Amino acid sequence: MKGYSYTTITMEPGEAPRVGMHIYPDEHARVSYFPARDTPASFVSVDFAESHLSIGLTAETTVTDMHVTFARGLLEAAAGLLADCERLRDEHATRTEHNTTEATSAKVA
């Protein structure tokens, strides 16, 4: 598996610059969760190659419904990505097994 990452900066006249971070991970990518302990400073970290993304709360954060809604959206998006990954992996395994079986059958015949 070969992954990559890149960052884009888009600047349109009269608008604020927009920074995009794109991570297409491979086996070297890491996702970590750092729970809130004595303060509400919990966060999720994604590290891949020279890219680092951190999403979380600061120690000064007063957690509101907006934070909960955002975290639920993040969870739903991650669950959707997981479901796609599992489905695509299983479809690939089925195709690979089917092709292997056909190749073996052709050699026997």
Side-chain angles (χ1 to χ4, degrees):
M1 181 166 106
K2 181 143 173 93
Y4 62 96
S5 65
Y6 64 93
T7 301
T8 58
I9 301 173
T10 306
M11 298 172 61
E12 297 289 335
E15 294 182 16
R18 179 176 168 90
V19 178
M21 185 172 169
H22 310 270
I23 300 174
Y24 300 92
D26 62 17
E27 69 275 6
H28 301 292
R30 298 290 172 258
V31 176
S32 304
Y33 166 62
F34 299 88
R37 301 251 189 251
D38 299 329
T39 68
S42 65
F43 64 97
V44 172
S45 174
V46 179
D47 291 288
F48 177 65
E50 300 303 318
S51 299
H52 175 81
L53 172 66
S54 182
I55 302 171
L57 307 168
T58 67
E60 293 79 32
T61 299
T62 299
V63 178
T64 66
D65 287 344
M66 183 275 314
H67 295 96
V68 173
T69 299
F70 175 83
R72 282 190 182 128
L74 184 61
L75 176 63
E76 289 171 10
L81 178 62
L82 173 60
D84 282 343
C85 287
E86 290 175 336
R87 177 182 54 80
L88 293 167
R89 178 204 56 202
D90 294 347
E91 287 174 2
H92 175 76
T94 300
R95 281 193 309 272
T96 302
E97 289 171 10
H98 179 72
N99 291 341
T100 302
T101 302
E102 283 184 350
T104 303
S105 296
K107 287 181 183 177
V108 172

